[in-house]
Amino acid sequence: MSGWQPALVRGTISSLPRQDTALRVTRCSAPTGATCLAGLVLALAPAAARAQVAVGARIGVLFTTDLVHDSIVEPISVQVRPAPVVGLSLEAPLGPPYVVSAGLALSRSNVVAHSATSDVRLTGLTVWHATLAVRRPIVPWLGVEARLGAVIYAPSNRTANLFQDGAPVDATLGAGVQLERGLGAGFTVGLALQYDATRFTTNTLKAQGFAGATVVHRVALSATIRRVVTQGKTGAPAR
């Protein structure tokens, strides 16, 4: 098995003429990711003006289910390998007992065409994930959250693979649970388990006859740290 497999795309993708599309998504860059975070941060402005604001960071690992499945000749799938993930967040009380947060996470891994006989690397893949979440404590050391956002795919190579006609920007919907412990001086550390679901397809896959989109599940396990940086009228930091 070599290159981008005909069984996966119903024809060798490298032999296809490139087509101009009416809708083309440009490659994401660090400034684009920063813009995503800036837009979400604006949602926190009213709460931040009247209460404490906390900044947070996380580091962990991200697991993603298959982007594509096919089985014309033999079962084959396009997979994203487990990826290290880092993220930043900004949060403020929304109204007792809820907390609203805006976050931006970055992961980097490889996209691989997998079959029973071999694995072929197609491209490196950077993924930006901008989110807006609402968290509620269940007990002082345990909280749950609901979140929505957008995932932005930035492949390192677009030649003869499923991203050759553009990389998508897809909405995400998810939930999470956090175990936390206060350390004093405004610091809180914790462990977060976060889940998101999104729908994945590309212009190239559509051109090859792949109807619809694949539901992709993403699970991240992260260590977190948070610190209150602006103290408002509400007193102690939210846990």
Side-chain angles (χ1 to χ4, degrees):
M1 180 175 180
S2 62
W4 178 245
Q5 296 301 303
L8 180 63
V9 294
R10 304 186 177 104
T12 304
I13 209 166
S14 59
S15 66
L16 296 175
R18 291 184 59 84
Q19 297 181 357
D20 292 332
T21 57
L23 178 63
R24 186 176 298 273
V25 179
T26 58
R27 183 171 181 175
C28 179
S29 61
T32 304
T35 301
C36 295
L37 180 61
L40 290 177
V41 166
L42 292 178
L44 299 182
R50 63 179 183 271
Q52 72 266 2
V53 174
V55 294
R58 68 183 179 99
I59 183 169
V61 60
L62 173 67
F63 302 92
T64 305
T65 59
D66 295 349
L67 300 181
V68 182
H69 303 274
D70 200 10
S71 57
I72 294 179
V73 178
E74 62 175 336
I76 190 169
S77 61
V78 175
Q79 304 175 344
V80 178
R81 294 305 197 199
V85 60
V86 295
L88 297 174
S89 63
L90 181 67
E91 67 177 46
L94 183 62
Y98 298 99
V99 174
V100 62
S101 66
L104 181 67
L106 171 68
S107 61
R108 173 73 179 178
S109 186
N110 290 317
V111 178
V112 175
H114 171 77
S115 72
T117 56
S118 65
D119 290 346
V120 177
R121 181 182 182 275
L122 303 178
T123 182
L125 184 65
T126 298
V127 178
W128 295 91
H129 190 202
T131 56
L132 187 64
V134 175
R135 188 176 76 251
R136 185 188 193 282
I138 303 301
V139 292
W141 49 270
L142 176 66
V144 294
E145 69 175 18
R147 54 201 224 134
L148 56 85
V151 64
I152 305 167
Y153 299 93
S156 59
N157 173 37
R158 296 169 182 260
T159 303
N161 63 39
L162 70 169
F163 297 109
Q164 78 170 29
D165 292 313
V169 177
D170 295 321
T172 63
L173 183 65
V177 60
Q178 297 182 3
L179 300 172
E180 296 187 327
R181 179 181 178 85
L183 298 181
F187 284 96
T188 302
V189 295
L191 186 66
L193 180 64
Q194 296 170 318
Y195 164 82
D196 293 282
T198 186
R199 293 172 61 84
F200 178 86
T201 189
T202 66
N203 292 331
T204 301
L205 291 174
K206 293 175 183 177
Q208 288 297 302
F210 283 81
T214 303
V215 177
V216 176
H217 304 278
R218 296 159 33 93
V219 177
L221 180 63
S222 307
T224 66
I225 185 168
R226 186 173 72 249
R227 184 178 189 274
V228 173
V229 294
T230 301
Q231 189 68 46
K233 297 180 181 180
T234 57
R239 294 286 184 243

